[in-house]
Amino acid sequence: MQRVLIAARRFLLLALGFAIGSLAVSAWALSQNGRETNSDAVNGSKIAIIGQSFHVPSGGCVVYSHLVSKWSPGKHVEAGQLRCDGATIDGTCHNDHLVIERFTGSSYYCVQGVTFNNGQGMISTIQRYPNLSSTTMRGTVAGADLDQSGFTLGVKTVATAWGEATNSCPTGAAVGIFDYWDKLGAGGAWKVAKSGVFRNASDCWPTISTPATDGGFYVQR
């Protein structure tokens, strides 16, 4: 996600500045803590997300989300539950909404869906659309969908689910639950997402749980 301050704009998080692990991220990222698929041939991600607590820092945002991202040239589609204090995502997505962001390789665009309450679950899908041979990835949440083209077949593509924070870490206890997590493989079948721990920059969520049999896990501060 790219955060936009009310008074100023600067690139954050997934600006594809340099690579850490297997996902390209920006030097501006404060914290991205979660899990990333072991497979780098992902055609989709389907997940249930419950933002249990956020405690957003002043001038920042906290989001529990999943994304599908492609290597060079880098692109992504990300969807989740957003809370901000004095900031927006890309100037268009606001506090207390389900959101979807796309990254074109140079620019960010965000749309928002319905509002949500703490502890309220959401189901989101990001997948090749309209079929597995498409190079367009579509993200969906309740009340919105968003497409990004350029997901070339055969290029490394991974799915990640995480808690993100900008400006500073959450000011109190912050828990994001990923209730189940599936990935869409090359054969067109949804299967449990096998994943490894992913950490970037500050450890705002020191605890990243071991996944359950359905792929679900949680991050906790």
Side-chain angles (χ1 to χ4, degrees):
M1 286 283 178
Q2 181 188 10
R3 178 178 62 103
V4 180
L5 293 175
I6 296 302
R9 180 184 181 97
R10 67 177 181 175
F11 286 108
L12 292 166
L13 303 185
L14 294 171
L16 301 177
F18 60 91
I20 296 179
S22 60
L23 182 67
V25 296
S26 166
W28 288 110
L30 171 70
S31 182
Q32 298 161 321
N33 305 141
R35 305 189 71 89
E36 184 175 276
T37 54
N38 295 335
S39 170
D40 61 7
V42 171
N43 290 308
S45 172
K46 181 165 57 178
I47 201 165
I49 300 174
I50 305 169
Q52 198 70 38
S53 51
F54 290 78
H55 292 282
V56 182
S58 177
C61 297
V62 171
V63 61
Y64 298 111
S65 61
H66 72 135
L67 70 157
V68 174
S69 56
K70 181 182 77 70
W71 282 40
S72 180
K75 299 177 186 293
H76 79 244
V77 176
E78 180 173 5
Q81 295 181 326
L82 172 73
R83 294 208 187 283
C84 295
D85 182 353
T88 69
I89 296 297
D90 308 331
T92 56
C93 289
H94 302 274
N95 182 40
D96 299 344
H97 282 81
L98 307 186
V99 297
I100 313 170
E101 181 191 69
R102 67 184 179 96
F103 177 57
T104 68
S106 59
S107 299
Y108 295 85
Y109 299 92
C110 187
V111 297
Q112 59 188 30
V114 300
T115 59
F116 70 95
N117 298 314
N118 283 13
Q120 180 180 352
M122 63 166 281
I123 296 174
S124 174
T125 302
I126 303 169
Q127 67 183 104
R128 293 189 185 275
Y129 179 85
N131 52 54
L132 275 180
S133 61
S134 173
T135 58
T136 294
M137 202 70 71
R138 168 169 287 188
T140 61
V141 298
D145 57 62
L146 188 63
D147 295 351
Q148 175 58 49
S149 62
F151 280 80
T152 310
L153 297 171
V155 175
K156 289 183 177 181
T157 303
V158 299
T160 314
W162 55 23
E164 286 186 287
T166 66
N167 200 37
S168 62
C169 289
T171 57
V175 179
I177 301 168
F178 302 91
D179 203 34
Y180 72 84
W181 190 18
D182 293 338
K183 73 171 180 67
L184 184 61
W190 289 98
K191 297 182 179 180
V192 171
K194 306 296 185 182
S195 63
V197 169
F198 179 91
R199 296 184 188 274
N200 175 48
S202 300
D203 262 346
C204 288
W205 288 270
T207 300
I208 301 171
S209 74
T210 300
T213 55
D214 61 1
F217 68 99
Y218 63 87
V219 293
Q220 181 174 356
R221 175 176 176 78

